[in-house]
Amino acid sequence: MADTKKKSAKKKAVEKVIKKPPSKAIKSVQMDLFSQFITNDLESVSNTVELWESIPKYFFTPAQVEKLRTPTGHADPYEQPYTFKDIDCTITIHPALIKQENGGYKAFFPSVTEELIEETLKKILTDKNYGIHDPTKSETWVKFTLYMVQKELKKRGKTRNLNEIKQAIQVMSLCMLTLSKGKKELWRGAILQDLVTVDREEYIEDTGALHAARLPLFISHAIDKLEYRQFNIDRLMSLNTQLSRWLYKRFVHHYKYASMTETHHFMFSFVKNSSRFLAGKTERNNRKKMIDALNELKRKGVLMFHEVQEIKEGRKIVDVKYTVTASLDFCSEQKAASAAKKKREAILVDKSK
């Protein structure tokens, strides 16, 4: 009898930890503003949150993950140092353990499919019918079905089958991220927190069930403070490499006043320390990877020109300076993004009076 009471108490304790999305719509000016854009094509734009997206979490390749796994299929957490605005940080990624058909569990780390699905879910979040934001709790939820995710990916040329999407959603909800500055832990959580099914009893197996997931605090805070930026998600998803997409997001946040007469420059060392996409065995190959990414950004209409200046000590290349000039399309998109930000800020001020 006593054991039964203990089990019941434990079960209730677990149930209290699991959050559920609000059962009713919440009136939120911030969520309304998050859904407003300045564009002629609403389907082509979304929002980007610099602080959250600066965290390197999707750099794992299948070969790298295989090396990290033990013979039993498990893996230890992976620590990755990186730099954000000259601040030295570390992200520790605890792998998701997913049950396999043989009954055993296998470790998975987030990778390119999870990256693309996060972009898709943030786009779905901009639809007022599927986004919920509670400013009193700084909580943001996105509702979606697996079919919705598949449709959005296919529309942008990043097709994934339903099994791939199911597994990616599980990885995003089960892997745990710990962000630290020095020895101080700043935040811990999953990419998709408190994943629940809203309208049916079935869980992730039902591709038509409406799911909901609570997004990380970084995104909720950005919505509250209007600290996000409009960008062309179609252009982002058309890019073939993760480094190209990382650079494009960087330009969106830091080349805000892009014009065909104003250049923007950055260093190879900065990209290497801030991302995880220049970790090849030789610097020559890493530098080639940078040039390939810049050339892709030119082909896809983000850049018009780029110049390369090698920094040497003697005959050794110690760094590289890249100077880029925006394309006309990117200049127009950045002007629209800045106008959208000013409009949101003005509306929020008026609402607060």
Side-chain angles (χ1 to χ4, degrees), residues 20 144-145 147 196-212:
K20 292 185 179 181
F144 62 95
T145 70
Y147 276 127
V196 295
T197 298
V198 176
D199 61 351
R200 302 188 187 186
E201 292 182 0
E202 294 86 347
Y203 188 50
I204 203 75
E205 296 303 319
D206 189 340
T207 55
L210 189 62
H211 304 291

Side-chain angles (χ1 to χ4, degrees), residues 226-260:
L226 309 185
E227 294 176 353
Y228 50 88
R229 190 164 176 83
Q230 173 182 315
F231 78 106
N232 190 322
I233 187 174
D234 284 350
R235 197 178 300 282
L236 176 85
M237 298 292 259
S238 75
L239 297 169
N240 293 317
T241 70
Q242 288 181 286
L243 178 57
S244 298
R245 292 193 290 272
W246 187 92
L247 287 170
Y248 176 50
K249 285 282 191 73
R250 167 77 187 177
F251 295 153
V252 167
H253 286 288
H254 292 268
Y255 199 180
K256 294 178 183 177
Y257 304 103
S259 75
M260 297 172 70

